[in-house]
Amino acid sequence: MGKLEGKVAIVTGASRGIGAAIVAKLAEEGATVVACARSIESCESAALCLKVDVSDSAQVDACVKTVVERFGRIDVLVNNAGITKDGLLMRMSDDDWDQVLGINLKGTFLFTRAVARPMMKERSGSIVNISSVVGITGNAGQANYTASKGGVIALTKTTAKELGSRNIRCNAVAPGFIESKMTDGLSDELKKAYLGSIPLKRFGNVDDVAKAVVWLASDDASYVTGQVVGVNGGMI
Ligand code: NAP
């Protein structure tokens, strides 16, 4: 029997990369998984795919309503949707700031707010937010992204404090350098520099992150809340 048998999970940013791997691993452990992204047609392991822009509160609320109507409950939420729009602080446009904060941080808030009521009704739930190592360390050229991911960590800790008495846990996973579409575009020079800073001497893969998410989502982590789990090969 899987660790997540009978549980209903929502994963955002599930059309590719880390999100798609999380969907597959949660389903492997027996969860009924709803996969969300702006452009998603089908997903092999998911019970349902929904087109949702996480930065739009009406779409987020409608998604959660659909899931509760269809499956009766929500046990797990994984806030994974994220984008980058890199550039030096002095030249960063308002739009690049707003878009990244709107998806990475506001999107996490909107979904967390939307699932809080159905989870409170069940008096249980696990929310896992995907942050980033650079949300802890900062990174030149990523003022918007690092601020959003640092914000996700603070939001995680506050959510854990507000909802803990209802047995709803909230934790963050902070990946290091994971091979995906997000990192594919980086120059070989930058990739070499990152590799030099990783004690395990390899980049992470999407399953490295998905396995940590499964643990936090499951009852194996039933006394873990408000924490940030680094999946970064020892980078920090
Ligand atoms: P990715 O391959 O670019 O995938 C991002 C996912 O987010 C896609 O499914 C995308 O689908 C979805 N998405 C983007 N904007 C959205 C929106 N407004 N509403 C709903 N879904 C949206 O990136 P990834 O590497 O798998 O990253 C996943 C998460 O891990 C992100 O939060 C990222 O910041 C974090 N992370 C990644 C790394 C890394 O090294 N790769 C390191 C640390 C943290 P659509 O475009 O179809 O909506």
Side-chain angles (χ1 to χ4, degrees), residues 12-20 22 36-40 51-56 59 79-84 99 102-104 111 130-134 145 148-149 173-184 186 204 206 209 231:
T12 72
S15 60
R16 59 173 186 263
I18 293 172
I22 293 170
C36 306
R38 288 170 304 186
S39 52
I40 190 164
K51 283 191 179 149
V52 185
D53 182 339
V54 299
S55 65
D56 180 319
Q59 289 187 37
N79 283 307
N80 165 77
I83 61 163
T84 51
Q99 273 191 46
I103 293 172
N104 299 7
F111 252 107
I130 307 301
S131 176
S132 169
V133 66
V134 298
Y145 184 76
S148 73
K149 293 299 186 180
V173 172
F177 190 110
I178 307 298
E179 285 173 323
S180 76
K181 193 174 171 202
M182 188 172 273
T183 48
D184 279 353
L186 297 176
V206 292
V209 180
V231 179

Side-chain angles (χ1 to χ4, degrees), residues 141-177:
Q142 292 196 305
N144 47 5
Y145 184 76
T146 54
S148 73
K149 293 299 186 180
V152 163
I153 290 175
L155 176 61
T156 299
K157 293 181 178 182
T158 295
T159 305
K161 287 189 173 173
E162 282 197 23
L163 302 181
S165 63
R166 311 300 178 99
N167 195 32
I168 299 166
R169 298 181 294 104
C170 183
N171 294 286
V173 172
F177 190 110

